[in-house]
Amino acid sequence: MYKEAFELIQKSNNIVLLSHINPDADALGSSLGLFNILKSMNKNISIINYTKELARNLDFLPNFKKIKHELPSKIDLIISCDSGNIDRLGFEISEIDILNIDHHKSNTNFGVINLVEPTFPSTTSVVYKLLIDNEIEISQECATCLYTGLADDTGFFKYESTTANTFEIANKLVEFGANPHYIAKMMTERVSLAQLRLTSLILNTLELTLEGKVAKVIMTQDMLKQSGAKLSDTDEIVTMVRALASVEVSIFLREDPEGVKVSLRSKNFVDVSEIAVSLGGGGHKRAAGINYKHRDFELVYKEILEKLKKVI
Ligand SMILES: [Mn+2]
């Protein structure tokens, strides 16, 4: 299938690389990683994301500035990276071939070819396999992008998804030129004052329930305005809250212009992907999310808590 996937890329001329809305390091790392390889082939390649306000800490990824936000008129092939379903891409897409590259357990296999590997620690490691299996040389630019997605999705090699194979891929990517210290520094040590202030406002809303096993924090649009931070500045909060000793599941409810965005994280045994899928979202065992189209925080929290009570 990895050979077939590459043949599909080779025979397409107008290729669009897409990743999910509110893209994280793995979404942009996998699509930019491919962009940095495919741009040297004689093709019309564009890299697009629906979200205009991209996370600031990802701006060091090679060719980050090439990311645009509107689909071109002529497309032969869409390569979807790190998106569990077609709606998460943000655009109305019909009658265009999609190569679906992902590692979400909840992936709906919406492509003509689906390279979906739920046991892989990141989508960038699926892209890595695609390149290696087809004997494509990995450039330093590409290695930087792929390593960044791998490091971020494993919590910098901390999560259960981190295996010997993870380090094997990381090792190869470092040999191809990725710089772990530089990447870690760019990713985690450039927090803005506004971001720190917003974090403090959000942490002030912390509530514990079910004997301290569930932690909830919320963010309103007011907090965002008050701090001057960006929506993407909240990406790490739910993981931060999970770190509380008693907590098994952390919940972050964020008021977005479109509704409430829910992020769920678990520590040891709760499969938050199952909870998210049952409420219309998706994700992984330890990290999942749901997007609600309304802003009733109370109702959203109640729904999630009902589900959690059955498994905690
Ligand atoms: Mn991912």
Side-chain angles (χ1 to χ4, degrees), residues 1 15 33 66 73 77 81 95-96 113 125-126 149 174 178 183 185 191 194 206 208 227-228 231 251 283 285 301:
M1 207 149 66
I15 301 177
K66 298 268 165 66
S73 53
L77 176 68
C81 292
E95 290 170 36
I96 303 173
I113 296 179
S125 49
V126 188
V174 173
I183 291 169
K185 205 170 56 180
V191 172
L206 177 70
L208 292 166
S227 62
L231 269 184
I251 308 170
K285 232 162 60 177
Y301 184 47

Side-chain angles (χ1 to χ4, degrees), residues 26 82 103 153:
D26 193 31
D82 200 43
H103 71 134
D153 261 28

Side-chain angles (χ1 to χ4, degrees), residues 3 5-13 15 41 43 136:
K3 290 253 152 63
F6 205 75
E7 279 163 21
L8 181 62
I9 294 174
Q10 272 172 321
K11 70 172 197 224
S12 310
N13 279 318
I15 301 177
M41 292 161 76
K43 291 181 188 303
I136 306 297

